[in-house]
Amino acid sequence: MGRAFEYRRASKEARWDKMSKLFPKLGKAITVAAKEGGTDPEMNPKLRTAIATAKAQNMPKDNIDAAIKRANGKDSSDIKTIFYDGKAAHGVQIVVETATDNPTRTVANVKAIFSKNGGEMLPSGSLNFMFSRKAVFEVAKPNRDIEELELELIDAGLSDLEEGDDSLVIYGDYTSFGTLNEGIEQAGLEIKKGSLQFIPNSTVSLDEAALGELERLLDKLEDDDDVQAVYTNIE
């Protein structure tokens, strides 16, 4: 993703945290992970990573424990992960990840957000060939040789690594999430975020004016309570 887009996303996350929007979404991610793979973090790498992501955002331990407990409750039995596809101006493609106990409500909300903010919803699966499902981990940058670390993690499933000023972003195939998670932990790296994401196979480059046009649509999607993540092909 380009610097302008990443800056916008970082600012958005800061606003989420301030407005108590982020914790419910992190909690739902923990509940879904626990429901899918069990409530024991030691046996469930997806849950371990969801917890690590929540802790990195300063989510209180009581909130984390409550989210795990909800996985055994009646309410969690109806939560489903559903993806919706859409498009917007300037060739922008959008995949919306939701976790919902009421798909009828969620699809109506997502469709309305697209139509009211310059976008258009597409049939589910329309963008499957435009994105690749990847395991993505952001970790604190370690004080060690990065090339050596990269070689070490290849055996665990690493396919690509991006180096930032104070963090590393590690990519692998979605089927390697568990082994890559374990490899990162064994390497002693501090996980800031970790999830399965849709990564665009090709991107579009937008100027600030075009990004501004899309701001409202992306913000409205991200603000919806059922939306967990929004992926685009913006560079």
Side-chain angles (χ1 to χ4, degrees):
M1 299 295 179
R3 289 183 183 273
F5 188 67
E6 284 301 322
Y7 177 78
R8 193 197 72 80
R9 303 286 284 206
S11 297
K12 178 64 179 178
E13 287 188 2
R15 294 201 300 275
W16 264 347
D17 194 21
K18 185 177 180 181
M19 297 167 60
S20 300
K21 277 283 189 179
L22 184 56
F23 287 171
K25 292 176 185 287
L26 292 171
K28 191 176 285 187
I30 290 171
T31 300
V32 171
K35 180 190 167 202
E36 291 177 354
T39 58
D40 182 358
E42 294 299 318
M43 303 298 292
N44 184 346
K46 189 173 180 180
L47 176 58
R48 284 202 308 276
T49 303
I51 292 171
T53 300
K55 286 181 176 178
Q57 296 294 331
N58 298 314
M59 187 172 178
K61 184 178 184 300
D62 288 348
N63 294 42
I64 293 173
D65 291 343
I68 295 173
K69 288 179 182 177
R70 278 197 296 272
N72 290 326
K74 292 182 179 179
D75 292 343
S76 74
S77 63
D78 295 327
I79 296 177
K80 299 178 178 63
T81 299
I82 304 175
F83 299 95
Y84 301 104
D85 296 345
K87 65 179 182 179
H90 310 291
V92 172
Q93 299 156 349
I94 303 170
V95 177
V96 182
E97 178 180 351
T98 68
T100 178
D101 59 357
N102 188 334
T104 302
R105 176 195 66 220
T106 303
V107 68
N109 289 347
V110 172
K111 187 174 183 179
I113 292 170
F114 271 111
S115 63
K116 292 178 181 178
N117 296 281
E120 179 185 343
M121 198 161 167
L122 302 172
S124 294
S126 296
L127 301 180
N128 284 354
F129 68 102
M130 304 298 293
F131 290 80
S132 296
R133 191 76 160 143
K134 298 285 186 181
V136 183
F137 296 87
E138 181 184 347
V139 303
K141 194 172 183 178
N143 186 23
R144 58 176 292 188
D145 184 85
I146 301 303
E147 289 187 5
E148 179 183 309
L149 174 64
E150 189 170 5
L151 290 173
E152 183 179 324
L153 291 176
I154 285 176
D155 289 339
L158 177 146
S159 61
D160 194 15
L161 184 149
E162 293 178 357
E163 185 175 353
D165 292 335
D166 57 3
S167 64
L168 302 175
V169 180
I170 297 166
Y171 298 88
D173 187 79
Y174 78 100
T175 60
S176 301
F177 185 93
T179 58
L180 190 52
N181 185 92
E182 291 174 4
I184 289 169
E185 291 174 342
Q186 290 172 5
L189 301 176
E190 177 192 346
I191 296 176
K192 294 182 177 181
K193 297 179 184 178
S195 61
L196 293 172
Q197 299 183 17
F198 281 98
I199 305 300
N201 296 327
S202 62
T203 59
V204 293
S205 180
L206 304 180
D207 58 24
E208 290 294 330
L211 282 171
E213 289 180 38
L214 294 165
E215 186 89 13
R216 181 175 174 81
L217 170 59
L218 297 177
D219 278 356
K220 287 293 185 181
L221 287 169
E222 290 169 338
D223 280 341
D224 187 272
D225 290 341
D226 292 334
V227 173
Q228 289 296 98
V230 178
Y231 309 104
T232 81
N233 64 333
I234 299 173
E235 186 176 69

